[in-house]
């Protein structure tokens, strides 16, 4: 018998796309201490990242991570759909970003598992059309989209920040891949939200660069993927961080999908 400490990050939600789409919400992140354990075995499940939206379609939710009788909730998929009901971000550990209609399509709710302390935050709130909002992160809500001056492109919202857990900093895991170490870093960031997709549109019949093109919104620190500003220049959530995937861009002459959420992770520390 002994005492264990458990860290759970669920799979991140997929970004929607194509079409100024919402970023995926991060998988729920939890740290549970003082768990009595005895000789196993114990079933462990690491959440998979949600599939990207394409066609166009919403992003899929990530799946839960679980161990030692505890679980965290998969991240919400990003919304997609030009004023349709599925434009709303999906609820999840952190909620997915939304698309299209500022009045009717809020970001998805976070902390769908109802845990205390909360496992995540909501997706970003729309303030304008033609760009998606960021997915929520374990440490903060997703960012809103931005309507710049007339003649410039709408820009998607950044992904919500991941949450720091210094007990699980990247330096403690020397065999993990470099991209993972860069995402988690010395403060142990997990659960960054995916950036929303920006607008990519022609002007007077042209196409970018002759038209106008928004910037690629950053994913939330802690593994969130960046949103698209053109076909395929966004990214998926980082594996084993629970990061949300970036949303696809609103485009003409291309059909770029969103990006998948990152897988989760389960870490157990046995206190001796």
């Amino acid at each position: 018998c002994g005492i264990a400490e458990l860290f759970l990050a669920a799979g991140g939600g997929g970004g929607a796309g194509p079409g100024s789409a919402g970023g995926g919400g991060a998988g729920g992140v939890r740290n549970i201490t003082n768990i009595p354990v005895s000789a196993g075995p114990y079933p462990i499940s690491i959440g998979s990242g949600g599939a990207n939206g394409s066609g166009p379609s919403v992003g899929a939710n990530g799946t839960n991570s679980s161990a030692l009788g505890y679980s965290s909730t998969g991240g919400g998929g990003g919304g997609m759909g030009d004023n349709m009901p599925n434009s709303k971000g999906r609820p999840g550990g952190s909620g997915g970003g939304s698309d299209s209609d500022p009045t009717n399509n809020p970001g998805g709710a976070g902390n769908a598992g109802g845990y205390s302390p909360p496992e995540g935050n909501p997706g970003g709130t729309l303030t304008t059309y033609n760009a998606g909002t960021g997915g929520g992160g374990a440490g903060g809500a997703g960012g809103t989209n931005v309507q710049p001056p007339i003649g410039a492109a709408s820009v998607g919202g950044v992904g919500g920040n991941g949450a720091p857990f210094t007990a699980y900093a990247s330096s403690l895991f020397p065999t993990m891949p470099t991209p993972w170490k860069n995402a988690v870093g010395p403060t142990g960031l997990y659960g960054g939200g995916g950036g929303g997709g920006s607008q990519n549109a022609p002007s007077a019949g042209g196409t970018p660069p002759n038209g106008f093109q928004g910037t690629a919104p950053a994913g939330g620190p802690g593994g969130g993927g960046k949103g698209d500003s053109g076909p395929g220049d966004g990214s998926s959530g980082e594996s084993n961080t629970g990061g949300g995937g970036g949303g696809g861009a609103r485009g003409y002459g291309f059909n770029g999908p969103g990006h998948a959420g990152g897988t989760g992770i389960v870490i157990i520390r046995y206190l001796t």
Side-chain angles (χ1 to χ4, degrees):
C1 297
I3 299 296
E5 182 173 321
L6 174 64
F7 180 80
L8 296 168
S20 63
V29 177
R30 302 181 67 197
N31 188 35
I32 303 102
T33 60
N34 298 316
I35 304 170
V37 292
S38 56
Y42 291 92
I44 294 175
S45 179
I46 296 175
S48 59
N52 59 296
S54 61
S57 63
V58 300
N61 281 25
T63 60
N64 297 354
S65 289
S66 61
L68 306 182
Y70 296 87
S71 65
S72 58
T73 311
M80 172 69 237
D82 283 348
N83 304 324
M84 300 298 288
N86 65 356
S87 299
K88 299 176 182 178
R90 297 295 187 266
S94 284
S98 56
D99 174 35
S100 298
D101 184 343
T103 302
N104 299 313
N105 295 320
N111 196 33
Y115 299 115
S116 180
E119 59 181 335
N121 292 277
T125 301
L126 279 164
T127 59
T128 186
Y129 296 88
N130 297 328
T133 67
T144 187
N145 55 2
V146 179
Q147 176 64 62
I150 294 174
S154 298
V155 176
V158 300
N161 289 342
F165 294 87
T166 54
Y168 309 105
S170 62
S171 59
L172 300 176
F173 304 92
T175 62
M176 290 295 280
T178 297
W180 181 90
K181 293 179 184 178
N182 291 340
V184 173
T187 59
L189 285 172
Y190 295 84
S198 291
Q199 186 181 26
N200 184 317
S203 177
T207 57
N210 298 318
F212 52 88
Q213 180 173 349
T215 57
K226 70 176 181 178
D228 271 2
S229 63
D233 62 353
S235 60
S236 298
E238 182 61 43
S239 297
N240 302 125
T241 66
R250 182 178 182 86
Y252 293 79
F254 64 84
N255 194 37
H259 301 272
T263 54
I265 195 168
V266 174
I267 303 172
I268 300 172
R269 298 203 304 169
Y270 186 75
L271 308 181
T272 58

